[in-house]
Amino acid sequence: QVQLVESGGGSVQAGGSLRLTCAASGVTYNRHCMAWFRQVPGKEREAVAIIDGISRTAYPNSVRGRFTISQDNAKNTLYLQMNSLKPEDSAMYYCAAGAVNSNPRFVCYFERGFYRYWGQGTQVTVSS
């Protein structure tokens, strides 16, 4: 029974920072891929950060060097630290979890279809 709840979105000026939080239940982090996605009207939902069971991370070129994904197993919480925000970062941001893995050396992917569980989203608006 996986449940994901995002928080921390809001409005910020270009160049500012936000930290998004995903409170997760029913997730064992060393058995799931976790990810943050974003979506704007008229565009496809896209991954901005992924993290695996041993905290290996990956980012697309659009956010690399500005965004950092992390997970706190003790608090059962996923984070996305966003720095140097740009207006084009404005979107609804979603927390996502993949299916449970029995293979301890599983690989995570950017494709949205890989993820089985989703939060309801938190809005980020960056003004210029």
Side-chain angles (χ1 to χ4, degrees):
Q1 297 181 10
V2 175
Q3 186 174 10
L4 308 173
V5 180
E6 304 95 335
S7 62
S11 297
V12 64
Q13 290 185 312
S17 298
L18 285 173
R19 188 178 74 166
L20 306 184
T21 298
C22 174
S25 61
V27 173
T28 302
Y29 285 106
N30 63 357
R31 290 288 183 267
H32 293 263
C33 297
M34 302 295 294
W36 287 95
F37 282 73
R38 68 186 182 189
Q39 189 169 28
V40 299
K43 293 187 177 180
E44 191 172 284
R45 190 173 299 187
E46 63 174 353
V48 296
I50 59 175
I51 187 166
D52 72 6
I54 56 172
S55 295
R56 295 178 298 186
T57 61
Y59 307 88
N61 291 336
S62 58
V63 307
R64 188 175 295 113
R66 300 188 298 118
F67 290 12
T68 303
I69 188 172
S70 60
Q71 57 196 13
D72 187 328
N73 292 353
K75 296 181 179 179
N76 210 19
T77 303
L78 184 74
Y79 300 98
L80 182 68
Q81 179 67 46
M82 304 185 293
N83 298 325
S84 301
L85 284 163
K86 305 174 181 180
E88 51 263 44
D89 294 320
S90 297
M92 184 72 73
Y93 282 74
Y94 299 90
C95 176
V100 66
N101 289 276
S102 58
N103 183 350
R105 299 188 177 184
F106 59 89
V107 176
C108 304
Y109 300 91
F110 285 108
E111 290 78 9
R112 66 185 186 278
F114 182 79
Y115 296 88
R116 303 292 180 87
Y117 309 100
W118 297 86
Q120 294 301 305
T122 186
Q123 181 68 44
V124 172
T125 302
V126 184
S127 59
S128 60

